[in-house]
Amino acid sequence: MVKIGVAVLAAGKGTRLKLDIPKALCPLLGKTLIDFVLDELDAFDQNSNTSLTTGIVVGHLKEIVQKHLKSRDVQFAVQKEQLGTADALKSYFDGTKNAWDCDYTIICCADTPCLTQDIFSQMYSKIDSDSELMGVCASFITEDPTGYGRIIREGKGFKIVEEKDADKSQKKVNEVNSGLYIFRTSHIKEHLFDIDNTNNSGEYYLTDLVSPDFNVEALTFENASAFQGVNNLIQLENAGRDIQQKIIEKHQLNGVRFINSSTCYIEPEVTIAKGTVVYPGVVIEGKTTIGENCVLEANCVIKNSQIGNAVKVLAGCYFEEIKTGNELSIGPMARLRPGTVLEDKVKVGNFVEIKKAELKKGSKVSHLSYVGDAEIGEETNIGCGFITCNYDGANKHKTTIGKNSFIGSDCQTIAPVNIGDNAYIGSGSTINKDVPSDAFAIARERQVTKEGMAKKFLKK
Ligand code: UD1
Ligand code: CA
């Protein structure tokens, strides 16, 4: 196994983002900036014959970064003062166990979420295939090189000149340093401590590990957008859009048909099976799976849910942590809250709210109802305007309704209460006592009709 140390530089404040959180934790597509880099590094590690030791250089608001990453197999190295990228690398070696023992060291930044495992793997292959090579620096060509270190090729090698130190002609060079490198760790050991800060920024530059005298190569990548950094909220949106585009294309190649994907928001962990159609404005978040041949109509929001096959989700639905079987129809405008479980062929209609309730196969709640803390049996039909009164002001209670029952419109069940199988509840009933199987129950005032009395109340 080849041992690779990874220094992820994340000590920066990210002032230009104008957020109250460290830059590394800036939210993007349901993750944070640094998660993207770490996930791609993990993927690279899994798909190559390498063993990664990752050290994250933290500084500004380090506790929050550490807390966010606590479940990951990474170490944290603290940089006390931000004296420059070479100083950050020193902090990495000081604070990461076994860092000096690694064959190679990858250096990358926490704010480049579009980096891919493929780029790490190309950098690694390059250095690993040439025993003389001391390092590889990823570069790219850009129309506007402002702000980047310029790759100045000289003789066999090259040097990197920062914007602040570049002369007029150097500033015109449009091949730039991406900030991603892989070095032999021995090369870093030999040169890191010679780096000084005699430059126009007074910073210790990591880029001084590169010089025309060293056998380091600049590997020019075609796809500049993979290296885009995030320093402000405009760049954050741009990076997000690029990642989103890749996610959408992956689904499209898997047979998911989007009507207008640019209006949709689909997080990275979402899976959608073939034959499903996604209308404009659909938002799917978290660990959500959508089955085959579903239709997700306009403006549905689905979070951390499992949707089966052939499920029709009509416009404007909002789901959180729900689970469905196959061949259902839901909505339009249904709100399904955590703990909703809908079996096959259930129908949930418009303006229905369901929470922590199980609707068995073929049952129907078609209009304007609230079903919470309940179990509804197979093939039971619930009329319009039904309410499970589940909360007594202090505690929640359960309503159970058996199979093949019929609940008339405008009924309430005052929980805890059980209604059996094949029961029939007359419209307008408030049910607060159990109803056994096969029974008819009605609980409303008898009607009083007085002939000719209407004119007393009618104004004209
Ligand atoms: C750096 C490169 C530049 C390259 C650019 C790509 C140097 C000297 N220059 O410039 O050639 O084109 O990246 O984006 O390296 N950081 C720390 N501690 C510090 C300083 C920085 O952790 O003391 C971290 C930052 O949080 C950031 C990364 O290092 O994640 C890069 O630092 P930044 O100041 O943005 O470098 P640039 O000036 O952009
Ligand atoms: Ca590996």
Side-chain angles (χ1 to χ4, degrees):
M1 278 281 222
V2 177
K3 286 191 275 184
I4 303 184
V6 184
V8 181
L9 310 188
K13 274 202 178 126
T15 322
R16 284 171 285 166
L17 281 164
K18 311 215 161 121
L19 301 173
D20 298 332
I21 47 170
K23 186 195 221 181
L25 300 191
C26 178
L28 182 62
L29 284 158
K31 309 207 281 189
T32 70
L33 275 184
I34 194 168
D35 288 322
F36 281 89
V37 180
L38 296 177
D39 286 348
E40 289 301 316
L41 283 163
D42 279 348
F44 159 66
D45 190 20
Q46 263 152 40
N47 298 323
S48 61
N49 183 31
T50 58
S51 150
L52 261 50
T53 299
T54 303
I56 298 171
V57 180
V58 289
H60 181 64
L61 297 173
K62 59 180 189 295
E63 294 79 14
I64 313 177
V65 181
Q66 281 167 304
K67 192 172 164 215
H68 175 77
L69 299 174
K70 68 178 182 297
S71 63
R72 289 187 185 261
D73 180 19
V74 293
Q75 300 180 53
F76 295 95
V78 179
Q79 186 191 21
K80 290 204 186 76
E81 231 185 311
Q82 280 192 254
L83 303 176
T85 46
D87 181 70
L89 188 61
K90 280 183 205 158
S91 305
Y92 157 79
F93 281 104
D94 285 344
T96 310
K97 266 189 226 116
N98 304 321
W100 286 117
D101 305 332
C102 293
D103 306 286
Y104 303 109
T105 301
I106 290 176
I107 304 158
C108 61
C109 298
D111 64 357
T112 48
C114 300
L115 288 179
T116 61
Q117 55 166 317
D118 189 51
I119 291 170
F120 294 124
S121 136
Q122 285 181 57
M123 303 275 289
Y124 165 61
S125 305
K126 183 96 196 160
I127 197 165
D128 200 50
S129 62
D130 179 351
S131 61
E132 307 280 292
L133 195 58
M134 287 298 138
V136 181
C137 160
S139 71
F140 60 89
I141 313 286
T142 172
E143 267 175 32
D144 179 14
T146 314
Y148 287 103
R150 312 298 204 276
I151 303 285
I152 308 295
R153 295 188 183 265
E154 272 179 20
K156 273 191 177 170
F158 71 104
K159 63 181 176 186
I160 299 172
V161 179
E162 293 305 303
E163 173 92 24
K164 278 193 182 157
D165 305 300
D167 61 32
K168 247 189 171 167
S169 73
Q170 287 170 330
K171 276 192 180 146
K172 284 188 189 136
V173 172
N174 59 3
E175 180 176 10
V176 297
N177 170 25
S178 71
L180 169 68
Y181 325 78
I182 185 167
F183 288 104
R184 279 181 202 281
T185 308
S186 57
H187 176 83
I188 298 176
K189 198 166 201 170
E190 207 180 324
H191 301 287
L192 181 60
F193 300 95
D194 296 340
I195 295 175
D196 61 27
N197 62 352
T198 53
N199 52 53
N200 291 338
S201 312
E203 283 184 18
Y204 295 87
Y205 289 163
L206 178 58
T207 44
D208 289 349
L209 289 174
V210 173
S211 127
D213 302 333
F214 302 152
N215 189 4
V216 175
E217 242 180 70
L219 184 58
T220 318
F221 284 84
E222 294 271 322
N223 179 14
S225 68
F227 298 97
Q228 63 187 300
V230 172
N231 297 303
N232 59 41
L233 292 178
I234 298 171
Q235 293 172 336
L236 180 71
E237 192 197 351
N238 288 337
R241 209 182 285 130
D242 283 5
I243 297 168
Q244 181 70 105
Q245 185 61 30
K246 283 210 295 194
I247 293 171
I248 301 268
E249 283 170 11
K250 177 191 78 183
H251 291 302
Q252 287 171 324
L253 295 174
N254 285 340
V256 178
R257 182 161 67 89
F258 286 83
I259 309 287
N260 183 353
S261 66
S262 66
T263 61
C264 295
Y265 172 87
I266 317 282
E267 288 187 352
E269 286 183 67
V270 171
T271 67
I272 312 176
K274 66 174 169 21
T276 288
V277 182
V278 182
Y279 278 72
V282 169
V283 172
I284 314 178
E285 297 181 9
K287 282 189 173 52
T288 293
T289 61
I290 311 277
E292 287 181 7
N293 299 318
C294 292
V295 177
L296 310 180
E297 283 193 356
N299 303 324
C300 290
V301 177
I302 305 179
K303 304 181 179 189
N304 295 307
S305 294
Q306 282 138 45
I307 308 298
N309 299 325
V311 176
K312 266 193 161 174
V313 183
L314 305 183
C317 285
Y318 193 100
F319 303 164
E320 265 174 300
E321 293 168 42
I322 77 155
K323 212 171 162 170
T324 85
N326 306 322
E327 297 177 52
L328 292 83
S329 170
I330 308 172
M333 287 156 290
R335 177 171 184 212
L336 306 187
R337 294 166 52 201
T340 297
V341 178
L342 308 179
E343 290 189 356
D344 293 351
K345 299 192 172 162
V346 158
K347 182 181 177 218
V348 173
N350 42 236
F351 305 110
V352 170
E353 174 177 342
I354 301 181
K355 182 216 81 170
K356 208 171 160 194
E358 229 173 293
L359 272 66
K360 304 283 190 196
K361 196 172 165 188
S363 55
K364 292 187 177 69
V365 186
S366 299
H367 339 261
L368 299 143
S369 290
Y370 171 63
V371 179
D373 301 299
E375 204 180 298
I376 312 291
E378 277 184 28
E379 302 295 337
T380 282
N381 184 81
I382 298 204
C384 175
F386 168 71
I387 298 168
T388 52
C389 308
N390 59 330
Y391 186 51
D392 61 13
N395 296 300
K396 301 272 164 68
H397 302 283
K398 193 169 172 181
T399 299
T400 314
I401 303 176
K403 59 184 178 199
N404 298 314
S405 290
F406 181 93
I407 312 293
S409 291
D410 190 29
C411 285
Q412 302 95 52
T413 47
I414 302 186
V417 70
N418 300 302
I419 296 171
D421 299 337
N422 308 302
Y424 192 109
I425 310 294
S427 292
S429 293
T430 300
I431 299 295
N432 61 354
K433 294 192 195 77
D434 287 357
V435 177
S437 289
D438 304 305
F440 167 77
I442 187 159
R444 64 177 189 236
E445 283 289 296
R446 273 183 193 279
Q447 182 169 328
V448 175
T449 306
K450 301 211 169 159
E451 296 278 351
M453 193 169 158
K455 60 176 179 292
K456 196 175 151 191
F457 302 108
L458 293 172
K459 290 236 162 82
K460 273 206 267 178

